[in-house]
C-alpha cells in the first residue's frame, strides 16, 4: 500500500510502507518511459520533462508489484 500525490506538475511524491526496490513509469500505450532503482520508502520523482497526460507508476517491493495511475499536468 502506498500514497501518491496526484496530479503532478513537476514532482511526484511517493510514500510507501515498505522499501521500494525499483519503479517504472509507463505511458498509456504501455511504453516504458522511465525506470529507476529506489531503495527507500519515500521519495520524489522528477516528472517535469514528461508531456501532459496519464501515466502508470509501477512500484516493485519485496511483497510484489503495485500499479497506480497518475496525471501529469
Amino acid at each position: 500500500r502506498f500514497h501518491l500525490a496526484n496530479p503532478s506538475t513537476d514532482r511526484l511524491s511517493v510514500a510507501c510502507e515498505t522499501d521500494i526496490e525499483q519503479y517504472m513509469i509507463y505511458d498509456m500505450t504501455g511504453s516504458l518511459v522511465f525506470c529507476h532503482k529506489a531503495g527507500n520508502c519515500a521519495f520524489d520523482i522528477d516528472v517535469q520533462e514528461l508531456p501532459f497526460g496519464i501515466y502508470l507508476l509501477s512500484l516493485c517491493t519485496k511483497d510484489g508489484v503495485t500499479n497506480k495511475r497518475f496525471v501529469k499536468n
Side-chain angles (χ1 to χ4, degrees):
R1 195 167 110 156
F2 68 95
H3 173 73
L4 181 66
N6 194 14
S8 178
T9 55
D10 57 353
R11 294 218 172 264
L12 188 63
S13 295
V14 179
C16 188
E17 294 174 357
T18 60
D19 283 350
I20 297 166
E21 298 168 357
Q22 178 177 332
Y23 63 88
M24 291 81 63
I25 296 176
Y26 297 91
D27 63 19
M28 286 292 97
T29 68
S31 297
L32 179 64
V33 176
F34 190 77
C35 180
H36 188 74
K37 295 196 182 296
N40 53 12
C41 61
F43 54 92
D44 290 338
I45 302 170
D46 184 359
V47 295
Q48 185 173 358
E49 299 298 319
L50 292 178
F52 301 129
I54 300 172
Y55 293 87
L56 181 71
L57 175 64
S58 184
L59 301 172
C60 301
T61 68
K62 64 180 174 85
D63 299 325
V65 178
T66 302
N67 296 304
K68 181 83 172 184
R69 287 186 188 178
F70 72 93
V71 176
K72 164 56 169 70
N73 286 338

